[in-house]
Amino acid sequence: MKTTVLIFALLSSLSMTVSASTDWPPETLTYRPSELPGYALVRQHCLTCHSAHYVTYQPRSPRTYWDATVKKMKYTFGAPLDDKDIPAMVDYLTQTYGSPSR
Ligand code: HEC
C-alpha cells in the first residue's frame, strides 16, 4: 500500500517536471499560418533542426536579414534546401516576422 502511494507521488512529480519544461506559449512553437507558398516550405524545412523559437525571437528585420539567415542555414549548417525554394521562404519570413518595407 505504501509503495503504491510512493509510486503515485513519484509519477505525479515527474509529470509536473515535464509540463513545466514545455510551458512555452503555443504561438512560438510553430510557424504562424499564412497563405504564402513559403509557409509550407518553412514548415517542411525549418523544423528539422530547431523549433520556430529561433525565428519568432528575432527582432523584426528586413528581407536581407532573412535571406542571409536562410542561406546560412543551408551553407553553414547544411540544411538540405533547394535554391529554387529559398525566395518563397524568405518572402514568408519577411512578411510574417520581418519588416517588409525595408
Ligand atoms: C541543418 C539544421 C538546420 C536547419 C534545417 C535549419 N536551421 Fe536554423 N539554425 C541551425 C543552427 C545549428 C543554428 C545556430 C544555433 C545556435 O547558434 O545555437 C540555427 C539558428 C537559427 C536562427 C537564429 C539566428 C542565427 O542566425 O543563428 C534562425 C533565425 C534560424 N536558425 C532560422 C532557420 C530557418 C528560417 C530555417 C529554414 C529555412 C532553418 N533555420 C533551418 C540549424 C538549422
Side-chain angles (χ1 to χ4, degrees):
M1 184 57 191
K2 265 190 180 153
T3 326
T4 320
V5 173
L6 188 66
I7 288 172
F8 181 75
L10 266 173
L11 281 178
S12 50
S13 65
L14 257 180
S15 67
M16 275 172 65
T17 316
V18 171
S19 64
S21 66
T22 54
D23 198 16
W24 293 98
E27 68 273 16
T28 63
L29 283 176
T30 189
Y31 290 97
R32 205 180 299 152
S34 164
E35 300 285 301
L36 294 170
Y39 171 56
L41 290 166
V42 162
R43 292 214 322 169
Q44 189 185 339
H45 296 293
C46 304
L47 288 168
T48 45
C49 299
H50 52 74
S51 80
H53 288 137
Y54 281 57
V55 165
T56 56
Y57 287 169
Q58 296 310 308
R60 297 190 78 84
S61 303
R63 190 183 169 89
T64 45
Y65 167 80
W66 291 108
D67 189 63
T69 300
V70 172
K71 285 177 180 155
K72 181 166 85 174
M73 296 307 131
K74 176 170 177 167
Y75 296 108
T76 309
F77 299 133
L81 305 174
D82 199 325
D83 278 341
K84 75 169 168 34
D85 293 336
I86 290 179
M89 290 193 283
V90 173
D91 280 348
Y92 164 76
L93 292 165
T94 309
Q95 297 287 333
T96 315
Y97 300 103
S99 48
S101 49
R102 276 188 285 161

